[in-house]
Amino acid sequence: QVQLVESGGGLVQAGGSLRLSCAASGSIFSINAMGWYRQAPGKQRELVATITSGGSTKYADSVKGRFTITRANDKNTVYLQTNSLKPEDTAVYYCNALLTVAGTYSMYNYWGQGTQVTVSS
């Protein structure tokens, strides 16, 4: 089995910062891409940022210049540094990983349980 465990969410004032972490563990052969998505109340889940094993990144327009995604391949961990937070960034943030399960040749998409980020005005 594979698990993604997120941490680092919380309550912060507008303009503040948080650092989210997500560690993948279990029967992992390799991890292709990892990323962060978010879902605000009453809205669909949306992409925030992704990073490939080679370090290529992609960001939603709404977070460009404020959020930075990084990855520690040796730790199967992805980070999201969030700066200059706005009330509209309030959401549950989910970690995602596209990976190959050990002992198989198949790639699977896994999700973490989510971590709440609340930005007060």
Side-chain angles (χ1 to χ4, degrees):
Q1 292 294 333
V2 174
Q3 281 189 317
L4 301 183
V5 179
E6 300 119 330
S7 61
L11 173 64
V12 64
Q13 288 189 331
S17 300
L18 287 173
R19 188 187 192 218
L20 308 184
S21 299
C22 171
S25 62
S27 300
I28 299 170
F29 175 73
S30 65
I31 300 179
N32 187 347
M34 299 187 79
W36 292 93
Y37 292 72
R38 66 186 181 187
Q39 187 166 18
K43 295 188 177 181
Q44 288 190 331
R45 190 173 297 188
E46 62 177 4
L47 179 147
V48 176
T50 60
I51 185 167
T52 67
S53 57
S56 297
T57 59
K58 178 181 178 181
Y59 294 93
D61 288 343
S62 60
V63 306
K64 283 181 181 176
R66 300 188 297 122
F67 292 10
T68 303
I69 188 170
T70 56
R71 177 172 170 175
N73 289 333
D74 58 336
K75 298 178 182 178
N76 288 340
T77 300
V78 64
Y79 306 95
L80 186 69
Q81 178 66 43
T82 66
N83 298 328
S84 302
L85 283 162
K86 305 174 181 180
E88 50 264 43
D89 293 318
T90 295
V92 178
Y93 284 69
Y94 295 92
C95 176
N96 173 267
L98 180 63
L99 56 87
T100 301
V101 175
T104 76
Y105 294 99
S106 301
M107 295 183 72
Y108 296 91
N109 207 26
Y110 284 88
W111 293 92
Q113 80 286 354
T115 186
Q116 178 71 46
V117 172
T118 302
V119 184
S120 63
S121 57

